[in-house]
């Protein structure tokens, strides 16, 4: 749903039509390259302090970095500001309407030598835990997904792990997330698919295929080469992947993904924890962040902004 009055960075009608057809918009600039380089050098060090991280104890016990990367906007002032930036939110509201939540953020590092990420789609995000993590309202809703804004904090090149999309695939799910994937850390950096080293953090997305003989048409893949400070907005149901980091440079590719939904979508229904990547974390301190408009629903926990060194709190 498009707002009646276009905001400063909102999508123009032709941009919105293109987004609806292709499933993604961008890249677009959020920061100047040198500004984000300076900020990331500073924030990378600051984020090593996990004393206020909402998943601190459980994440340390799980021994897995993927799940501990979740929701650092809850304790980082820089990331809390990032998810609310008008360059991002204005574009989101063009698609989702005025009332929008950020329900999850994640870091996606790719180190020299790391495999690419499997082709995949995400609707309810039940693929790893077996339980839907977001559920859209209404009878007969086939799928909904989330709007992801993926921001490059360092260069994202073909040889360092840039995103790839297959345009127009967002309207039909090729994977059945109710099947649930099986975690095996021995898979990491060990498998080649269609001649490309690809995996999914110890999972194999092929386990969820509705048609087990399906193979993505790599000839249709569009690479998203991005400069530091650029972002791309896309439906999680869009077929997407990333290339391997070939190790031609020592620089890690670092991306930050923020996931957004209308306030009407139910977040983590019927569960009190996240179970993924061989670990689990409690949702006791979790809350979705209202980044635009108002929230008229009482079933989601909403985080409240503070000025006490914790950007958001649910207590």
């Amino acid at each position: 749903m498009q707002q009646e009055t276009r905001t400063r960075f909102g999508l123009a009608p032709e941009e919105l039509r293109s987004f609806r057809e292709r499933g993604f918009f961008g890249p677009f600039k959020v920061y100047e390259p040198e500004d984000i380089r300076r900020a990331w050098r500073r924030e990378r060090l600051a984020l090593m302090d996990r004393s206020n991280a909402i998943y601190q104890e459980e994440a340390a016990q799980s021994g897995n970095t993927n799940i501990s990367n979740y929701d650092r906007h809850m304790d980082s002032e820089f990331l809390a500001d990032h998810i609310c930036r008008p360059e991002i939110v204005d574009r989101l509201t063009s698609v989702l309407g005025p009332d929008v939540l950020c329900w999850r953020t994640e870091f996606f590092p790719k180190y020299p030598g790391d495999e690419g990420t499997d082709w995949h789609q995400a609707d309810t995000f039940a693929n790893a835990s077996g339980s839907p993590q977001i559920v859209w309202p209404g009878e007969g809703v086939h799928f909904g997904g989330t709007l992801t804004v993926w921001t490059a904090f360092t260069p994202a090149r073909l040889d360092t792990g840039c995103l790839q999309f297959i345009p127009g695939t967002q309207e039909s799910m090729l994977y059945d997330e109710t099947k649930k994937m099986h975690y095996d850390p021995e898979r990491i950096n060990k498998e080649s698919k269609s001649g490309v080293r690809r995996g999914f953090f110890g999972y194999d997305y092929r386990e969820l295929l509705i048609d087990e003989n399906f193979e993505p048409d790599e000839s249709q893949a569009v690479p998203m080469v991005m400069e530091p400070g650029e972002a791309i907005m896309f439906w999680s149901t869009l077929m997407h992947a990333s290339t391997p980091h070939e190790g031609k440079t020592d620089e890690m590719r670092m991306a930050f993904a923020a996931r957004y939904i209308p306030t009407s979508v139910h977040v983590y229904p019927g569960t009190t924890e996240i179970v993924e990547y061989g670990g689990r974390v409690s949702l006791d301190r979790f809350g979705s962040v209202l980044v635009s408009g108002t929230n008229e629903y009482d079933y989601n926990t909403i985080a409240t902004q503070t000025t006490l060194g914790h950007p958001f709190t649910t207590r």
Side-chain angles (χ1 to χ4, degrees):
M1 179 172 64
Q2 188 178 14
Q3 289 180 286
E4 294 180 0
T5 302
R6 186 185 171 198
T7 52
R8 179 182 176 191
F9 297 103
L11 300 187
E14 62 273 17
E15 293 174 328
L16 188 57
R17 282 194 297 270
S18 176
F19 173 80
R20 287 173 173 164
E21 291 174 1
R22 299 190 301 167
F24 68 93
F25 175 80
F28 56 89
K29 184 183 291 187
V30 180
Y31 307 96
E32 294 295 335
E34 287 309 309
D35 290 343
I36 192 61
R37 285 184 182 277
R38 283 193 299 269
W40 176 237
R41 283 196 294 267
R42 178 186 69 243
E43 296 303 323
R44 185 179 180 185
L45 292 175
L47 287 163
M48 292 180 181
D49 177 5
R50 299 189 55 83
S51 59
N52 292 327
I54 64 171
Y55 306 133
Q56 179 187 2
E57 293 182 4
E58 298 95 334
Q61 292 169 3
S62 75
N64 188 285
T65 58
N66 292 314
I67 201 165
S68 66
N69 279 333
Y70 285 6
D71 299 333
R72 293 303 304 273
H73 66 281
M74 294 286 288
D75 69 284
S76 163
E77 184 176 353
F78 170 73
L79 297 177
D81 175 76
H82 172 80
I83 66 171
C84 299
R85 288 184 69 92
E87 295 93 338
I88 293 173
V89 174
D90 285 359
R91 292 177 167 102
L92 292 168
T93 57
S94 295
V95 177
L96 298 178
D99 304 325
V100 179
L101 296 177
C102 177
W103 70 280
R104 177 185 284 179
T105 64
E106 304 171 51
F107 279 106
F108 284 109
K110 200 168 288 293
Y111 297 90
D114 277 356
E115 65 191 356
T117 301
D118 274 349
W119 286 106
H120 64 288
Q121 298 169 296
D123 171 13
T124 67
F125 290 78
N127 44 52
S129 66
S131 299
Q133 297 182 357
I134 54 170
V135 176
W136 285 62
E139 294 293 332
V141 175
H142 178 53
F143 67 90
T146 191
L147 264 190
T148 296
V149 177
W150 193 98
T151 305
F153 284 1
T154 63
R157 316 276 192 218
L158 280 169
D159 62 353
T160 63
C162 71
L163 281 175
Q164 296 172 288
F165 297 141
I166 300 182
T169 55
Q170 72 277 7
E171 294 295 333
S172 178
M173 285 294 291
L174 300 170
Y175 300 87
D176 180 359
E177 291 176 303
T178 66
K179 289 184 175 181
K180 188 180 176 181
M181 297 185 292
H182 299 88
Y183 177 68
D184 181 359
E186 295 301 317
R187 288 172 168 162
I188 299 174
N189 279 330
K190 299 287 179 61
E191 297 186 348
S192 178
K193 298 165 186 177
S194 300
V196 180
R197 288 190 305 110
R198 292 195 197 275
F200 197 79
F201 313 108
Y203 294 97
D204 188 336
Y205 239 96
R206 294 175 298 185
E207 293 182 6
L208 303 185
L209 281 171
I210 296 171
D211 176 2
E212 62 182 19
N213 296 314
F214 170 79
E215 291 189 11
D217 184 357
E218 297 267 359
S219 69
Q220 300 300 309
V222 177
M224 295 290 112
V225 175
M226 295 165 62
E227 296 298 321
E230 289 188 317
I232 192 87
M233 179 176 73
F234 64 97
W235 281 117
S236 60
T237 53
L238 180 71
M239 186 77 72
H240 57 289
S242 68
T243 61
H245 192 312
E246 297 178 5
K248 295 178 181 179
T249 173
D250 292 335
E251 185 174 26
M252 164 183 44
R253 187 225 69 187
M254 176 56 76
F256 184 72
R259 306 190 187 278
Y260 300 89
I261 49 174
T263 54
S264 60
V265 175
H266 201 157
V267 179
Y268 295 121
T271 185
T272 59
E273 61 182 3
I274 307 171
V275 182
E276 293 178 350
Y277 309 118
R280 62 181 64 225
V281 293
S282 169
L283 292 168
D284 285 352
R285 297 177 61 195
F286 167 81
S288 296
V289 176
L290 184 68
V291 299
S292 177
T294 59
N295 174 47
E296 298 180 356
Y297 302 88
D298 61 5
Y299 43 73
N300 289 325
T301 302
I302 304 299
T304 303
Q305 195 162 14
T306 73
T307 57
L308 302 176
H310 302 253
F312 295 100
T313 181
T314 56
R315 296 183 176 182

